[in-house]
Amino acid sequence: MAKRKYVKQALSQWMNGVGPDSEVVISSRVRIARNIRNMPFPLMADPSRSLSVMEQLLGVAESGRLNGLGKIEQIRLTDLTELEKLVLVEKHLISPNLANDSRNGALILSPNEDISVMINEEDHLRIQCLSSGFQVHEAWDAASKIDDIFEEQVDYAFDEKHGYLTSCPTNVGTGIRVSVMMHLPALVMTGQINRILSAVTQVGLAVRGLYGEGSEATGNLFQVSNQITLGQSEQEIIENLFQVARQMIEHEKSARSKLLTESRLRVEDRVRRSFGILSQAIIMDSKEASQRLSDIRLGVHLGLLPEVNELVLNELLVSTQPGFLQMTFGEAMSPEDRDRSRAELIRSRLATIS
Amino acid sequence: MQCQECGKRPATLHFTKIVNGEKAELHICESCAREKGELIPGTSSGFSIHNLLSGLLDFETPNPMAKQPAAKCETCGMTYAQFSKIGRFGCSHCYKQFSERLDPLLKRVHGNTVHVGKVPKRAGGRLKTKREIDRLKKEMQGRIEREDFETAAQLRDRIRELENEMSG
């Protein structure tokens, strides 16, 4: 069977790098968690119950109520190989949680891959909207619309006092998680990052690495998201995150221009060295790759590397991950094989533009 | 606020006890709490402030000093001990089942216990009617007190209408 584009292509359309403030914010995301009334959450549901949840929710897509999104894909997780699931995780279209335990799990995907609806993850329904650059309000509007469409068909578990009831008490209330993925190399280089991150966590926001909970912040990529879901309205939650992220963007931008005026040669040297290494290296582990790609991304936005296009960087961000490498170079690779293939992939990609 | 026991030191510990649905508040200072330790229900002679606070605040470390009531969700079968361990509920009914223990936890996680955001349109319709009924009941009570029985009767009829709508 020919591979579908959602596992074949590394780059989703929402990662095209053209959104507002895309020099700092790679993407914005809103996730809404919902459950069906009188049905045990996936954790405690027996197979027949979770199957009926899946059928009911896929039925909404089947009924054509999501027609406005274009030709959507309905994917049952059991129809995917382990590697295909890993690729979807690397593209942020499903969570590691759904990939690992996919009994009666399913995914509804819009053609642009900017809307992905997970079924039987931790909650029955997880609606996720992704957009390029800094567009949290837009992502919320889109996610809320999908939420309304499901609500026309499905009785949600909702409580007057506690709001939308979710499996984890950290999601109860609005059930929303808003996050922005930011590239903050100048704040890291100038040693301001820890001060800023600790300030951010004090106003009820969380900072994580690129792939969410438990992942490290590699390549100077940070994901900032709301912690509180109860007692604040969706608008307040989004506005709070928006304002804090806005300030972080400004800090990063001013740190960048300061770097450029005060130590241009040093920065230019670092950026060009990283470009040189990535264009020539034979072995490249993932940690070094993400650090060097971060340097290049900074160089592109400072105008120091006019020959490189941001789109290539976003593509490499995903295509150098283990799942994608195996998809490209053959399955079941050892870490050493991956390091060699990663170097090869980056070399060939950069060769086409330099 | 002064300590309710000694009346001298400021109260630094504030407890809410709920026994058989009756709520009692206790505001005491640390040294009185130490003295009174053995008198607080559900604690053994090994009581310590630390145990009490960890029991109140840290839901993931069950307090070995406190006797756990046999809390189990009737709908999905999840026990409170299971919930404490994995930190996830088994079904929406668990929220009711564990409600007494839930608010301190939610307060700790969110700083709040009451939802103020979006309301699903369908359930929202019911919620709106329910709030209207509450409002009418209060007004009816006021009319009865003022011996305006005619208006009170009209309000009673309107309440019945709305209640029928809700159950219908």
Side-chain angles (χ1 to χ4, degrees):
Chain A
M1 191 179 86
K3 294 264 182 267
R4 310 278 192 116
K5 80 171 170 75
Y6 56 80
V7 285
K8 205 171 67 185
Q9 289 173 8
L11 206 59
S12 303
Q13 214 170 316
W14 58 268
M15 272 191 87
N16 61 9
V18 297
D21 295 299
S22 63
E23 61 268 51
V24 178
V25 180
I26 293 177
S27 61
S28 306
R29 184 188 77 129
V30 168
R31 181 270 280 151
I32 301 182
R34 297 286 186 254
N35 287 285
I36 302 176
R37 185 179 292 275
N38 293 332
M39 273 288 189
F41 299 149
L43 178 69
M44 294 297 268
D46 57 45
S48 73
R49 284 253 174 113
S50 64
L51 182 66
S52 106
V53 165
M54 179 172 84
E55 281 169 351
Q56 190 183 350
L57 294 174
L58 285 178
V60 174
E62 204 67 63
S63 71
R65 276 166 207 272
L66 296 172
N67 272 350
L69 302 180
K71 197 180 173 331
I72 53 172
E73 299 267 3
Q74 290 183 46
I75 304 151
R76 290 174 194 233
L77 271 280
T78 44
D79 293 340
L80 298 174
T81 65
E82 291 306 312
L83 185 56
E84 286 170 331
K85 286 183 219 168
L86 180 57
V87 162
L88 290 176
V89 172
E90 289 170 359
K91 289 180 79 173
H92 298 271
L93 297 177
I94 63 172
S95 66
N97 194 6
L98 188 73
N100 291 336
D101 184 11
S102 44
R103 192 181 56 178
N104 290 324
L107 168 70
I108 298 170
L109 195 61
S110 71
N112 292 345
E113 304 179 6
D114 55 348
I115 294 166
S116 84
V117 178
M118 281 185 271
I119 295 169
N120 281 327
E121 208 252 14
E122 186 179 287
D123 296 296
H124 294 144
L125 189 63
R126 289 209 160 180
I127 300 162
Q128 181 179 249
C129 286
L130 299 140
S131 52
S132 182
F134 191 36
Q135 305 197 64
V136 288
H137 294 98
E138 291 78 358
W140 159 248
D141 288 344
S144 185
K145 269 188 200 128
I146 309 287
D147 178 39
D148 293 342
I149 292 171
F150 275 96
E151 201 244 315
E152 281 171 22
Q153 287 278 291
V154 177
D155 255 326
Y156 282 155
F158 179 84
D159 175 88
E160 220 174 284
K161 184 182 175 196
H162 292 128
Y164 294 95
L165 304 178
T166 53
S167 179
C168 185
T170 57
N171 294 318
V172 73
T174 57
I176 73 163
R177 189 83 62 216
V178 195
S179 58
V180 285
M181 197 209 289
M182 309 175 100
H183 183 229
L184 306 172
L187 290 177
V188 173
M189 271 184 220
T190 55
Q192 300 176 66
I193 192 73
N194 286 337
R195 194 172 49 81
I196 287 176
L197 294 186
S198 90
V200 166
T201 51
Q202 276 169 20
V203 293
L205 300 178
V207 184
R208 300 198 176 89
L210 177 53
Y211 286 93
E213 216 165 317
S215 69
E216 264 182 77
T218 53
N220 301 322
L221 291 167
F222 298 87
Q223 188 180 291
V224 179
S225 59
N226 66 304
Q227 291 267 61
I228 292 167
T229 57
L230 186 65
Q232 290 182 355
S233 70
E234 290 82 357
Q235 285 69 26
E236 287 171 314
I237 290 168
I238 288 160
E239 202 51 38
N240 181 31
L241 185 110
F242 181 84
Q243 295 301 345
V244 172
R246 171 94 269 150
Q247 289 181 46
M248 294 174 74
I249 294 168
E250 296 313 323
H251 279 301
E252 169 66 22
K253 282 184 182 170
S254 72
R256 284 184 193 180
S257 51
K258 209 169 159 204
L259 276 180
L260 206 52
T261 49
E262 289 176 9
S263 28
R264 182 182 175 113
L265 283 183
R266 236 160 32 95
V267 177
E268 196 166 357
D269 180 63
R270 175 172 170 158
V271 165
R272 289 259 161 214
R273 273 170 192 272
S274 284
F275 185 69
I277 288 170
L278 287 175
S279 319
Q280 294 295 327
I282 301 293
I283 295 167
M284 181 63 58
D285 67 35
S286 60
K287 203 171 168 190
E288 183 179 358
S290 50
Q291 188 52 53
R292 303 240 176 249
L293 285 168
S294 166
D295 288 344
I296 293 196
R297 187 181 290 277
L298 177 67
V300 169
H301 289 134
L302 291 179
L304 301 172
L305 271 176
E307 61 268 45
V308 183
N309 179 325
E310 188 175 3
L311 211 58
V312 176
L313 295 177
N314 284 351
E315 191 190 318
L316 284 175
L317 199 62
V318 179
S319 63
T320 55
Q321 298 295 318
F324 251 100
L325 284 177
Q326 294 182 51
M327 192 67 91
T328 313
F329 292 94
E331 302 192 9
M333 299 168 92
S334 67
E336 291 78 21
D337 290 343
R338 282 209 296 268
D339 290 350
R340 223 179 43 233
S341 307
R342 184 178 295 110
E344 186 183 330
L345 183 82
I346 297 173
R347 267 195 334 265
S348 65
R349 203 70 188 82
L350 293 183
T352 60
I353 50 171
S354 54
Chain B
M1 188 183 286
Q2 295 296 102
C3 170
Q4 285 176 354
E5 286 302 318
C6 62
K8 294 176 199 155
R9 290 175 287 263
T12 50
L13 296 167
H14 310 275
F15 303 107
T16 303
K17 272 191 298 188
I18 297 172
V19 181
N20 296 330
E22 283 201 34
K23 199 170 137 187
E25 287 184 338
L26 186 62
H27 309 281
I28 53 175
C29 68
E30 204 170 311
S31 63
C32 287
R34 256 186 243 284
E35 273 171 41
K36 292 198 58 90
E38 287 181 20
L39 301 175
I40 294 174
T43 60
S44 69
S45 53
F47 168 82
S48 77
I49 298 283
H50 173 77
N51 283 338
L52 181 57
L53 291 182
S54 82
L56 282 175
L57 295 176
D58 194 353
F59 81 104
E60 277 171 325
T61 329
N63 178 3
M65 294 302 154
K67 278 183 191 151
Q68 299 275 346
K72 185 175 179 176
C73 176
E74 289 151 9
T75 309
C76 71
M78 175 161 296
T79 62
Y80 188 78
Q82 253 180 308
F83 167 68
S84 305
K85 208 169 150 205
I86 56 177
R88 280 164 182 67
F89 292 115
C91 70
S92 52
H93 189 73
C94 292
Y95 278 86
K96 285 206 171 62
Q97 195 73 40
F98 304 137
S99 64
E100 279 188 24
R101 298 151 179 241
L102 193 57
D103 280 359
L105 166 66
L106 292 177
K107 188 107 190 147
R108 200 176 64 121
V109 176
H110 300 286
N112 276 296
T113 57
V114 181
H115 175 60
V116 295
K118 191 171 173 176
V119 166
K121 285 191 192 79
R122 288 195 287 179
R126 287 196 294 271
L127 190 62
K128 221 172 132 190
T129 314
K130 219 174 138 195
R131 287 192 177 150
E132 175 70 0
I133 290 172
D134 287 345
R135 192 187 65 77
L136 292 173
K137 277 184 179 166
K138 263 191 206 135
E139 200 188 327
M140 182 175 78
Q141 204 54 45
R143 294 288 173 175
I144 291 170
E145 279 161 22
R146 275 176 272 158
E147 301 188 355
D148 177 5
F149 297 114
E150 201 177 321
T151 317
Q154 285 169 3
L155 288 167
R156 180 202 58 206
D157 293 344
R158 176 71 189 133
I159 290 166
R160 279 195 190 145
E161 257 177 52
L162 289 174
E163 279 174 343
N164 285 340
E165 246 176 57
M166 290 241 309
S167 57

